Amino acid sequence: MKIVVLDGYTLNPGDLSWQPLEQYGELTVYDRTKTEEETIERIGDAEAIFTNKTPITPAVIENCPNLKFIGVLATGYNVVDTTAAKKRGITVCNVPTYGTAAVAQYSIALLLEICCHIGHHSRTVKEGRWEKCDDWCYWDYPLIELQDKTIGIIGFGRIGRQEGAVSRALGMNVLANDPYPTDAGREIADYVELDELYKKSDVISLHCNLTDDNYGMINGESISKMKDNVIIINNSRGQLVNERDLADALNEGRVQAAGLDVVSTEPIMPDNPLLKAKNCIITPHISWASLECRDRIMNISADNLKGYLDGVPVNVVL
């Protein structure tokens, strides 16, 4: 069996083994695949492929007649034209759960960096500022204590609940908004309507799937309902935020700070207004990228392929 990984570098830049996939056939791994033509050529007569962000378009599916299995090396599978795959009877599987702890940890890390500015102050010390200081300490930003403040988490699935539990451990009050409240969620947070969450939260953190209804939900109108000096955290989906409106609110001081690991177009475009916005931390979509997370993706992806070969596919998205 021929197996092709079209864009394996972000999953495995060299610190993991491809053995979990190699055991099922003749494996070819490409670091990156850039064009549709290159995708078709590289798939060739392979029966199974894996993609992270390389699009699997109708043309790719049409021109790869031997293709029977598509594994997505991630949770989101919008890079695959599932309608075209379904017409061909191709099994499409994803990795639905692998990074709950890491992604929640990262959202808290963004929040703590905003509150403490550890990176900035460490950098100024190494630049020699402390040794020249007239006082025994200094700080360049307001330092924020989180105890007794309220965090509002939009999207209270596994990751949202994990962040809520950590927030409670920090002494915060937790509000949640989710279309499907659960008993597990009620043990951590009070479920409220979105407008109430906006009104009461000192910190708003996004952990929801992207839908037509919530596209650009953080915008001028919703920000006007929030507390002055609110902090916004997003390591969910970049398209949840109207970036121009958030940049304006940051520059005008209506939003105190933002911590973002995702943007609307990735890699980020040089004209993204958030790049020049005040008090805005942006990291390059790495919440998911711990070694532990990537190892889980590798092994779950191999299990997906095994399930297909055994005739009992798992984590099927269609």
Side-chain angles (χ1 to χ4, degrees), residues 16-289:
L16 295 174
S17 169
W18 289 107
Q19 191 278 331
L21 294 179
E22 288 173 338
Q23 63 184 311
Y24 297 112
E26 178 189 337
L27 179 67
T28 303
V29 179
Y30 297 99
D31 283 348
R32 302 166 189 86
T33 300
K34 295 293 189 180
T35 67
E36 189 174 70
E37 293 75 13
E38 195 173 44
T39 302
I40 293 168
E41 179 184 352
R42 288 179 169 181
I43 293 174
D45 60 353
E47 182 179 337
I49 66 167
F50 288 89
T51 179
N52 194 323
K53 295 294 182 287
T54 300
I56 307 302
T57 63
V60 170
I61 290 170
E62 181 182 350
N63 285 279
C64 299
N66 204 38
L67 188 58
K68 300 292 190 300
F69 173 89
I70 299 171
V72 182
L73 300 168
T75 301
Y77 53 89
N78 58 305
V79 297
V80 179
D81 191 301
T82 53
T83 301
K86 185 175 183 179
K87 287 180 181 177
R88 274 273 311 279
I90 297 171
T91 299
V92 181
C93 299
N94 72 337
V95 183
T97 305
Y98 65 89
T100 299
V103 176
Q105 173 184 303
Y106 200 93
S107 61
I108 292 294
L110 287 169
L111 176 58
L112 291 176
E113 178 62 19
I114 286 169
C115 292
C116 301
H117 295 278
I118 291 171
H120 166 81
H121 288 103
S122 175
R123 186 165 54 253
T124 62
V125 167
K126 292 179 179 181
E127 289 170 351
R129 182 172 164 192
W130 196 12
E131 64 197 65
K132 300 172 184 175
C133 187
D134 291 334
D135 302 301
W136 59 273
C137 68
Y138 64 90
W139 58 92
D140 292 333
Y141 295 90
L143 303 179
I144 301 168
E145 184 176 290
L146 290 173
Q147 182 164 311
D148 296 327
K149 292 197 168 52
T150 297
I151 185 170
I153 301 174
I154 303 174
F156 214 56
R158 285 181 289 260
I159 296 171
R161 292 195 300 272
Q162 180 82 0
E163 184 185 31
V166 176
S167 299
R168 284 189 62 179
L170 291 171
M172 302 186 77
N173 306 307
V174 183
L175 302 178
N177 177 268
D178 193 281
Y180 306 105
T182 65
D183 290 340
R186 292 187 184 94
E187 293 179 1
I188 299 168
D190 294 325
Y191 284 96
V192 296
E193 295 299 318
L194 206 50
D195 280 359
E196 184 177 353
L197 185 146
Y198 288 150
K199 180 180 178 181
K200 293 183 176 180
S201 298
D202 301 290
V203 178
I204 293 175
S205 185
L206 306 179
H207 287 298
C208 43
N209 294 324
L210 182 67
T211 68
D212 290 340
D213 292 333
N214 63 22
Y215 191 98
M217 66 181 298
I218 303 301
N219 54 38
E221 180 181 357
S222 60
I223 290 170
S224 71
K225 300 175 182 179
M226 298 176 191
K227 284 186 174 183
D228 289 339
N229 292 322
V230 67
I231 296 169
I232 295 175
I233 305 293
N234 183 21
N235 60 336
S236 179
R237 296 289 182 266
Q239 296 89 346
L240 295 168
V241 174
N242 181 311
E243 292 168 338
R244 178 73 269 167
D245 286 1
L246 177 57
D248 288 345
L250 286 163
N251 292 330
E252 294 165 9
R254 290 180 286 124
V255 171
Q256 181 173 359
L260 312 171
D261 187 48
V262 289
V263 292
S264 59
T265 300
E266 298 174 349
I268 196 167
M269 302 296 287
D271 61 350
N272 189 308
L274 292 168
L275 286 170
K276 296 182 179 179
K278 295 179 181 177
N279 300 322
C280 186
I281 295 171
I282 306 174
T283 57
H285 201 150
I286 53 174
S287 299
W288 69 282

